[in-house]
Amino acid sequence: MIKDFKELLDRFTGKEKKRIAVAMAQDSEVLQALDAARAAGIAESVLVGDEDKIEHIAGQIHIDLTQYEIINEPDEHACVAGAVQVVKAGDAQVLMKGLCSTAVFLKGILNKENGLRSAKLLSHLAIFESPHYHKLLFMSDAAMNIAPDINEKIAITENAVRAANRLGYEAPKVALISAVEKVNASGMPSSAEAAVIAKMGERGQIKNAVIDGPLAVDNALSHHANEVKGLRSPVGGDADICIVPNIETGNVFYKLLTILGGAQVAGVILGASVPVVLTSRADSDSAKFLSIASALAIS
Ligand code: COD
C-alpha cells in the first residue's frame, strides 16, 4: 500500500526524465505544474497552444520560457492534434491536457488514424490522498467512460488493477461500488454486475487483485459501517480501488472528495499507447503536478 503522494513520488528513484506534450498550455496552473515537474527533475515539456497567451501568463507568474519548446497553435482541435502528433513523432513520451475541453482532448486520443489508441479500452483513474483515509485511494471512471456496460466495467477494473500493480501493489483490494451491499438485480443493475465481476475475481478471471462487490461506499471505506451491518468482506473498510458504476457517480465522488473532503487528487488516462495526464480545468497546480508525477510513476 502507498500511504500518501510523498511515498508515490519516492517511487521515481531510478526513473528517467520524460518529455510531456501539452495541449493548450495557456493556463497558469498547467504552467506552474510543468515548471514544478521541471524543477523536480522529472519532466521537460513541449507547450502547444496560443504562444502570445502562453507568454503573457508565463510573464505574470515569472516562468522562464527559454526552458521550453513552444508550438504556436491557437485553435483548440488543432492544438490537441498537434500535441498528439508530437508524441507520435517520438518527441514526447507523455501527453497532458491543458485548457482544452475533456471531450475534445479524449476524441483526439481516440482518433483512429492519428490518435494514441491501443487495443484496449481507455479509462480514467483518479488517485486521492484524503485526510480521512489511511492510504491512497484509487477510483475509476470519473471522466471518460460515460455508462460502461459489464464488459467495459471489467476492462476498467483491469486497467485500474494493472496501474496499481505497476505501483507495487501485488493484490490491490477492489471495491465494486453500488448503493447497497446486497444484490438487487432488477432495481439496481449495477449491484448484479458488481457481483458477477467479484465472482470473476474470486475465480482468477481477473488476476492480481482481491475483488468484492457490490459494496456501498461506506462498506468499501469504513470498518465501522461493516461492523454495524454485520458484513464480512475481504475488501470492506480497506479498499485500495473503488470502481463506480457510471461517470456521474465518479464525477460526484471526485468533486465531493476534493471540494468538501479536503483530498488532494491526481488524474490519469490508462490504456493509451503513452501515459496521459488528465485533470479538471479547475484543479489546482498541485493536482496537476501530482497527476504528472502519477502518470510517470505508473508508466
Ligand atoms: N476506449 C477505447 N476506445 C473508445 C473508448 C474508450 N474509452 N470510447 C470510445 N472508443 C472508441 C469507439 O469504440 C469508437 O471506435 C470510437 O472510439 C468513437 O466512439 P464514440 O463515438 O462512442 O466516441 P466519441 O468520440 O463520441 O466520444 C468518446 C468520448 C470519450 C469523448 C465520450 O465518451 C465522452 O464524451 N466521455 C466523457 C468525457 C467528459 O465529458 N468528461 C467530463 C467529465 S470531467
Side-chain angles (χ1 to χ4, degrees):
M1 94 174 197
I2 302 179
K3 195 161 59 51
D4 53 25
F5 278 117
K6 184 184 172 309
E7 227 181 275
L8 186 134
L9 292 177
D10 290 343
R11 311 246 157 161
F12 280 119
T13 322
K15 287 217 171 200
E16 66 185 69
K17 198 192 273 187
K18 299 257 169 71
R19 239 160 102 84
I20 306 173
V22 187
M24 279 187 87
Q26 57 265 35
D27 175 81
S28 73
E29 277 76 23
V30 167
L31 291 176
Q32 275 169 330
L34 294 171
D35 214 48
R38 188 192 57 76
I42 59 174
E44 290 173 352
S45 311
V46 183
L47 312 177
V48 186
D50 186 318
E51 191 166 8
D52 288 344
K53 289 185 182 161
I54 292 172
E55 282 175 356
H56 178 70
I57 295 166
Q60 284 179 328
I61 55 178
H62 311 295
I63 287 181
D64 174 11
L65 287 177
T66 58
Q67 307 284 335
Y68 296 88
E69 181 184 341
I70 301 176
I71 297 175
N72 184 30
E73 180 49 81
D75 176 74
E76 184 180 27
H77 290 262
C79 216
V80 172
V84 169
Q85 189 46 42
V86 170
V87 173
K88 283 186 86 92
D91 292 337
Q93 302 78 37
V94 178
L95 180 70
M96 177 170 177
K97 176 174 113 55
L99 204 58
C100 51
S101 93
T102 301
V104 170
F105 181 72
L106 293 175
K107 279 173 194 274
I109 298 174
L110 289 174
N111 186 290
K112 277 206 177 91
E113 289 80 42
N114 303 315
L116 298 171
R117 283 155 81 126
S118 68
K120 291 171 280 182
L121 183 93
L122 277 66
S123 53
H124 181 263
L125 180 74
I127 307 176
F128 300 98
E129 178 186 320
S130 162
H132 307 292
Y133 201 52
H134 54 286
K135 57 183 173 180
L136 287 185
L137 178 65
F138 299 52
M139 185 271 291
S140 189
D141 181 330
M144 185 158 195
N145 293 282
I146 296 175
D149 63 19
I150 185 160
N151 288 319
E152 290 164 340
K153 282 181 187 168
I154 293 164
I156 289 169
T157 305
E158 288 175 332
N159 277 354
V161 167
R162 213 173 292 118
N165 293 155
R166 289 186 76 87
L167 289 172
Y169 293 72
E170 281 178 25
K173 296 180 182 176
V174 181
L176 299 160
I177 299 297
S178 187
V180 283
E181 74 282 10
K182 292 190 177 115
V183 174
N184 173 355
S186 52
M188 284 184 223
S190 68
S191 67
E193 291 184 349
V196 172
I197 300 171
K199 180 54 88 178
M200 291 172 71
E202 204 182 299
R203 297 254 175 101
Q205 265 181 275
I206 301 172
K207 298 194 190 328
N208 304 321
V210 178
I211 304 178
D212 198 18
L215 293 171
V217 168
D218 58 347
N219 303 124
L221 305 180
S222 154
H223 283 299
H224 173 70
N226 297 330
E227 278 159 24
V228 172
K229 292 184 183 177
L231 180 77
R232 289 171 59 196
S233 157
V235 171
D238 193 35
D240 294 300
I241 301 172
C242 288
I243 302 295
V244 295
N246 54 36
I247 199 169
E248 293 93 331
T249 314
N251 205 268
V252 171
F253 190 123
Y254 183 111
K255 287 178 179 157
L256 281 180
L257 242 70
T258 50
I259 294 172
L260 296 184
Q264 286 190 285
V265 66
V268 298
I269 293 286
L270 304 172
S273 57
V274 297
V276 177
V277 180
L278 191 148
T279 52
S280 269
R281 276 174 277 191
D283 279 340
S284 64
D285 58 322
S286 125
K288 289 178 165 76
F289 171 75
L290 293 173
S291 303
I292 293 169
S294 302
L296 294 174
I298 291 168
S299 70

